[in-house]
Amino acid sequence: MTEQATADQATATHGVILTDVAAAKVKSLLQQEGRDDLRLRVGVQPGGCSGLIYQLYFDERTLDGDLVRDFDGVEVVVDRMSSPYLEGATIDFADTIEKQGFTIDNPNAGSSCACGDSFS
């Protein structure tokens, strides 16, 4: 691998972290779907009661400017516009009596709403 390719690869990543539990859940969901061409896309968009709302979904597309990071075989993709809002955010999966689903712990969120899906 050339130095340029290594430099390009280093700049094409993001700071979102996927826990081992969340990665295992994503793998399980992909196996249920019978798809190996999907990746987990994480982003933010304007909306929600606090100003920005999280997006978390499977995507087969590759968009210009995507930042990709692999977690034990699970590719997590973040678009360049969302990356600064998600830098250092941790995606986990909770499976308790009170809550089941993916959670996002975002150190960049100054405030969030009660539902946990929106932040500013």
Side-chain angles (χ1 to χ4, degrees):
M1 186 178 287
T2 66
E3 284 185 44
Q4 184 60 41
T6 304
D8 288 347
Q9 189 175 25
T11 59
T13 64
H14 55 74
V16 174
I17 298 160
L18 187 68
T19 67
D20 292 343
V21 173
K25 184 62 177 180
V26 170
K27 281 184 180 180
S28 171
L29 291 170
L30 290 174
Q31 286 174 350
Q32 288 175 20
E33 291 292 320
R35 304 273 305 260
D36 61 0
D37 62 331
L38 298 175
R39 36 177 78 113
L40 184 64
R41 183 171 291 279
V42 185
V44 297
Q45 70 178 23
C49 46
S50 293
L52 293 171
I53 191 165
Y54 294 112
Q55 295 180 306
L56 187 69
Y57 59 96
F58 291 125
D59 197 355
E60 62 191 13
R61 300 170 302 152
T62 301
L63 305 175
D64 190 35
D66 276 349
L67 307 173
V68 182
R69 191 166 169 192
D70 186 272
F71 294 89
D72 195 27
V74 174
E75 285 189 339
V76 176
V77 181
V78 177
D79 64 89
R80 285 196 188 276
M81 296 298 288
S82 296
S83 183
Y85 297 104
L86 295 169
E87 187 67 28
T90 301
I91 300 172
D92 199 1
F93 185 80
D95 191 3
T96 65
I97 290 175
E98 296 99 13
K99 178 189 331 187
Q100 182 181 35
F102 289 97
T103 62
I104 299 176
D105 180 19
N106 188 350
N108 301 304
S111 63
S112 61
C113 64
C115 68
D117 293 333
S118 179
F119 71 100
S120 63

